[in-house]
Amino acid sequence: MSTSVALRPPRTPRARAVVPAVLATAIAIALIRLTGTHDSPAVETFVLILTSIVVEALPFVLLGALVSALIEVYVPGRFLTRLAAMPVRRQLPLAALGGLAFPVCECGSVPVARRLIARGVHPAAGIAFMLASPILNPVVLASTVVAYAGRGLAWEMTLGRAGLGLLLAIAAGWAIGTDDAKTLLRPRPDDEPMSYEEASSRRTAFVNHLAADFFFMGRFVVLGAALAAAMQTLIPQSIVAGIARTPIIGSLALMAIAFVLSLCSEADAFVAVSFVQFPLGSQLAFLVFGPVVDAKLTFLYGATFRRRFVARLVVIAIPIVLAGSLWFEALVVPR
Amino acid sequence: MSPRIALRGAVLAVWAAFFLWLGLSGEVTRYLGPRTYWVVWFGAFVLALAVVGHLVSLRAGSPEAVRRSDVAGAVLLIAPLIALIAVPSPDLGALAAGRKSTGLSSLAASAPRPENAVPGKLDFAEIHYASESAEYAAAIGARQGTEVELLGFVTHPKRAPQGTFALTRFYISCCAADAIPYSVFIRSTEDHTDDVWLRVEGRLGKIGDLFVVDPRSVAITDEPKTPYLY
């Protein structure tokens, strides 16, 4: 008996960390069930919206992490060095237009942009790519065409969205990307460049990078979705929508709604087209602002970039989107 | 074997299993609209691929210990699934309808043009727009006395005319986050509590410009398998 006790392996840090987490989770579930909280309409609304946002976003976070890991492990350093050596004025528009070839929404573009910047691409170009790809990618443009085809405005809205999104991405990249990578990015251990000489070590490194990015970004997507779900559960949307009759207020109101809803850019056009009481310029503001700044992205940006990134982005995005939507309303929308 | 990779692989496997279950059980309709159903199969596929990648590198990787931050991150990542264990089959009901109603009469969805109307199709959205536009009402054949049958849940909006309660359904485009409520008022002396699902058969009537339903029969029923309209 005493021998078996003596041979028992010491408790590992894994066991010490996992056991309390499992216990706490089980107790929380039991409390919710026993107190009847699970039947509360507010709790049901919160859980349903939270889960639906996460279900929609998570595959794209994983896809973004996959591309990010490919860049880290398989894209030759000399290629990125050549790209980084280009003047910023060429890198920036090229990176923004690169979004046309990257069919991933906003959750996926953040880890990719982070990896590009960490590997030497100019921060301005990285930011421009990150902000442009959720708007310019082919799936998003196609969904915008389909959504507005019924209103006879497919090309006006799609080109307006692409043009204003490109302009915003380049302007924000130019204005925010003046910092160097170390000042801009929050540090993470896997930013250090490594060499992978054997195929097996490359595979392992690829899985490690993919997992690191997915787990890092994924939890902030959950936090952001929780914030969006809480706001949708607690705040009546009529507060925002009721003041939305004029183009300026309408655009600001739909930007606020885009922030709260935190929709995926690949499907948001179908929602935007439903806001028929708002001017078309305001709907354009919803389509351009939402993929750039929303509740879940606030957490992702906060985890990826250093302080004040979100504030600077909002200060740049609101006037550009507002001006663009008013210009669109005045000059493009048919009377 | 690396415990850290094993933990991450386990979290990915749980999510992959959840996506697969959503697709196979048909529960996907609770969370997503038809335009985004493909995300579930796509998610199940890429998550399963990531799990396989983790399994392959489980033995090749250095044996990294699990850190507290790894456990906290894993718990946070599966928090929505934990919430679903505590609150199984959550629904959007009267509370959500009140929060999501914008208060603007035609804000609920894109107003179809009369020329795009489907004659004879009289569901929540169509009746709603029939009240907004006489042209549209004529195009779909909505007039006083037209027979209708509606399946929805009970709500009590503040703007409800006296002597009515509302029957409501959510329309969604991509996911439950964009659900938009449509309500049709039922003129009845009998009332029901919020969130009770009813099948109402009757004829269209009017209160001012507003189409309402004068019910011939009202039956309490179960929530349909697909709770939303599209």
Side-chain angles (χ1 to χ4, degrees), chain A residues 246-253 282 322 326:
Chain A
T246 59
I248 293 177
I249 306 291
S251 292
L252 291 172
S282 304
L322 185 61
L326 294 175

Side-chain angles (χ1 to χ4, degrees), chain A residues 33 44 232-233 237 245 276, chain B residues 88 91 99-100 104 106 177:
Chain A
R33 302 286 293 179
E44 285 197 46
Q232 287 204 39
T233 305
Q237 285 181 27
R245 305 278 180 178
V276 292
Chain B
D91 279 318
R99 293 286 188 270
K100 284 173 161 287
L104 294 179
S106 352

Side-chain angles (χ1 to χ4, degrees), chain B:
Chain B
M1 191 182 91
S2 167
R4 199 170 183 220
I5 293 180
L7 176 72
R8 289 172 162 180
V11 171
L12 287 166
V14 168
W15 269 108
F18 178 69
F19 273 77
L20 199 60
W21 173 78
L22 279 182
L24 293 176
S25 67
E27 276 288 298
V28 61
T29 57
R30 188 181 296 281
Y31 303 96
L32 302 181
R35 288 189 184 104
T36 45
Y37 284 170
W38 63 273
V39 169
V40 165
W41 296 111
F42 170 68
F45 177 71
V46 291
L47 285 160
L49 267 186
V51 173
V52 171
H54 275 70
L55 286 175
V56 169
S57 62
L58 201 55
R59 291 191 176 279
S62 55
E64 287 178 284
V66 173
R67 302 169 198 156
R68 267 182 212 285
S69 61
D70 293 328
V71 176
V75 169
L76 195 54
L77 250 178
I78 59 168
L81 303 181
I82 295 169
L84 282 179
I85 296 172
V87 187
S89 307
D91 279 318
L92 294 181
L95 178 123
R99 293 286 188 270
K100 284 173 161 287
S101 171
T102 53
L104 294 179
S105 56
S106 352
L107 198 57
S110 52
R113 294 172 172 186
E115 58 267 30
N116 294 336
V118 182
K121 185 173 186 284
L122 283 165
D123 219 325
F124 288 81
E126 288 76 19
I127 296 172
H128 173 88
Y129 287 116
S131 297
E132 299 268 306
S133 155
E135 215 184 345
Y136 181 74
I140 60 170
R143 62 184 74 85
Q144 290 199 60
T146 305
E147 286 281 342
V148 290
E149 182 181 342
L150 297 169
L151 173 64
F153 59 91
V154 174
T155 60
H156 293 88
K158 283 180 190 158
R159 61 193 168 91
Q162 205 171 10
T164 69
F165 65 87
L167 208 60
T168 299
R169 283 294 281 272
F170 281 104
Y171 281 63
I172 70 171
S173 288
C174 57
C175 69
D178 69 56
I180 297 167
Y182 275 92
S183 295
V184 172
F185 294 106
I186 312 296
R187 186 155 46 189
S188 171
T189 49
E190 188 188 1
D191 200 357
H192 296 268
T193 52
D194 277 350
D195 296 329
V196 171
W197 281 83
L198 298 177
R199 183 179 298 280
V200 174
E201 291 175 21
R203 291 175 187 277
L204 287 181
K206 276 204 149 183
I207 298 177
D209 289 334
L210 186 69
F211 275 107
V212 297
V213 174
D214 293 313
R216 187 175 57 252
S217 75
V218 176
I220 294 176
T221 184
D222 291 331
E223 179 186 336
K225 189 164 170 49
T226 305
Y228 313 111
L229 297 174
Y230 308 105

